[in-house]
Amino acid sequence: GNKLADPATKLNLYLVTAVVLGITFILCRFLVQSRFGRILVAVRDDENRLRFMGYNPVLIKTLVFGLSAGIAGIAGALFVPQVGIIAPKQLDITASIETVIWVAAGGRGTLVGAIVGALLVNTGKVQEQRQFSQEFRITSPANERLRWIAALYYFDETIEEQTRGAF
């Protein structure tokens, strides 16, 4: 097969990932805008009222959980060839916090928010890595977690200030 370090292979993996992201986005957009999407909003807002209307919220939640697990599985299958190897260390709390920051930066409650947030945060990470040389960075895991928590707190306060009085 092809070597993962080959630039042509990296480009092909990038293109496949972009196409799968686009297809997944369109599928999720269709689901959210359909009757099923309105049912999901009803599950979120008032589960008891939905149950009273004859729907089974447990079944709906299970279906959405399965769908999200399938999307996560596809994402993982596309992620591993790009990084070469996956280890438990890569799935520590920092990765979870980073995902929350993506959503906080891009906007909660929208499909495009997580994508925009991921692009913003990862672009910022690349710029930070370029700006500071390795010898001046403190890279202990505890300091890395503190930086992510501080960023999450900052984004939460910023979003709260921007939306205060809007509702």
Side-chain angles (χ1 to χ4, degrees):
N2 297 332
K3 296 188 184 236
L4 291 176
D6 184 32
T9 304
K10 287 183 178 183
L11 177 64
N12 288 335
L13 283 170
Y14 172 78
L15 293 174
V16 167
T17 302
V19 167
V20 170
L21 174 64
I23 291 170
T24 304
F25 178 80
I26 290 169
L27 172 72
C28 289
R29 172 74 115 210
F30 173 76
L31 284 175
V32 168
Q33 291 178 346
S34 69
R35 181 176 178 202
F36 183 72
R38 288 191 300 268
I39 293 172
L40 290 177
V41 171
V43 167
R44 180 194 66 196
D45 291 345
D46 196 351
E47 193 173 320
N48 287 330
R49 181 178 291 174
L50 187 70
R51 188 176 290 116
F52 180 73
M53 292 173 56
Y55 289 98
N56 183 356
V58 174
L59 179 66
I60 295 166
K61 288 179 179 182
T62 305
L63 186 67
V64 171
F65 179 79
L67 179 65
S68 65
I71 292 171
I74 292 169
L78 291 170
F79 178 72
V80 172
Q82 293 182 27
V83 296
I85 189 169
I86 193 78
K89 175 72 177 115
Q90 291 171 300
L91 301 175
D92 63 353
I93 189 69
T94 307
S96 298
I97 292 172
E98 185 175 8
T99 306
V100 171
I101 291 173
W102 292 347
V103 174
R108 227 182 52 165
T110 64
L111 290 176
V112 76
I115 297 170
V116 170
L119 291 173
L120 287 172
V121 170
N122 288 326
T123 301
K125 280 174 57 177
V126 169
Q127 293 301 324
E128 178 190 357
Q129 289 171 356
R130 287 182 183 162
Q131 185 177 5
F132 300 109
S133 68
Q134 193 65 22
E135 62 190 0
F136 294 115
R137 293 192 58 184
I138 301 172
T139 58
S140 75
N143 287 334
E144 185 74 18
R145 288 187 188 101
L146 286 174
R147 280 185 25 215
W148 283 115
I149 291 170
L152 180 62
Y153 179 77
Y154 171 76
F155 279 121
D156 186 44
E157 289 295 317
T158 304
I159 290 170
E160 184 178 320
E161 288 173 7
Q162 290 174 355
T163 57
R164 188 174 294 136
F167 299 103

